[in-house]
Amino acid sequence: MLKGKTALVTGSTSGIGLGIARTFAAQGAQVMLNGFGDFEAPLAELRQTGAKVVYHGADMSRPEQIADMVRACEAEFGSCDILVNNAGIQHVALVENFPVERWDAIIAINLSSAFHTMRAALPGMKARRWGRIINVASAHGLVASAQKSAYVAAKHGIVGLTKAAALECATSGVTVNAICPGWVLTPLVQKQVDARAATDGVTDDEAKRRLLQEKQPSLQFTTPEQLADLCVFLCTDAAKNVMGQAWAMDGGWTAQ
Ligand code: NAD
């Protein structure tokens, strides 16, 4: 489905981003990976598909590194056709206890980074008259939970950014959309499962069940593979008139 396309996926050394990068490579796209931690293993794995896959270690809280990453993608592949803004972090605390440094980091990584990648990638996409930008928001881009003020603010912000950019791009061949996962069992969520198991004094399985029961009527985690298939769909011609949407895949979380 994605043969001949190039994709930059931020935060793709782990979790949802890695799932999206895997599927994109399997669908024939050339992929630039990004993120912290081990990148050699994902790089080697994705290269087995035969796709050209490279890595850039830009820190998504650093605008100048982000600009360098987009330039490197265009230089390496000749274009950046698909941009997935996925990198993200979480911190859980009451507003009055929220460390200022965590607030700033969440806004920078979960929201401002998407502005910086988009401003760098859009001129090339518009000039080639084809582009797909997918912002990984969250159910928390649509509704809130207590103790997640920075995350909820950033995710609501990215839904707004998505709409504004989609309108600017409406006649350009470039679409901009957000996807809104509910609970996905990645390292980011496992930390919250661990915290729940500790506070409630229950097993890992029971903590997962309680988290799901609170928010996600399907009682099933959304998977990175399901989200990746949604991203592939948004890259097809069938989706070329889908613009500025915040597309939930959340087991019914935001239908309540
Ligand atoms: P994860 O922790 O598994 O992966 C996060 C990725 O972002 C990693 O590759 C990490 O290295 C990278 N990253 C973090 N800080 C970075 C920085 N400063 N610069 C570059 N890379 C950085 O988490 P995940 O659950 O896969 O989350 C991915 C995205 O999905 C996030 O935006 C998150 O908010 C969103 N999301 C997750 C869930 C969920 O339930 N897991 C639900 C809704 C939305």
Side-chain angles (χ1 to χ4, degrees), residues 183 185-186 189-190 192-194 196-197 200 202-216 219-221:
W183 289 121
L185 192 56
T186 65
V189 162
Q190 185 61 48
Q192 296 172 65
V193 172
D194 294 345
R196 185 65 182 261
D200 292 6
V202 295
T203 62
D204 181 74
D205 276 352
E206 178 58 18
K208 285 177 185 150
R209 200 191 61 74
R210 289 185 185 189
L211 279 185
L212 287 168
Q213 198 170 38
E214 242 166 43
K215 301 280 186 189
Q216 198 145 304
L219 303 179
Q220 306 276 332
F221 288 102

Side-chain angles (χ1 to χ4, degrees), residues 11-17 34-37 58-61 86-89 109-110 136-139 151 155 181-189:
S12 47
T13 48
S14 168
I16 295 169
N34 158 262
F36 295 154
D59 179 338
M60 289 300 108
S61 65
N86 166 79
I89 58 170
I109 295 164
N110 296 18
V136 180
S138 167
Y151 190 85
K155 295 301 187 180
W183 289 121
V184 185
L185 192 56
T186 65
L188 181 141
V189 162

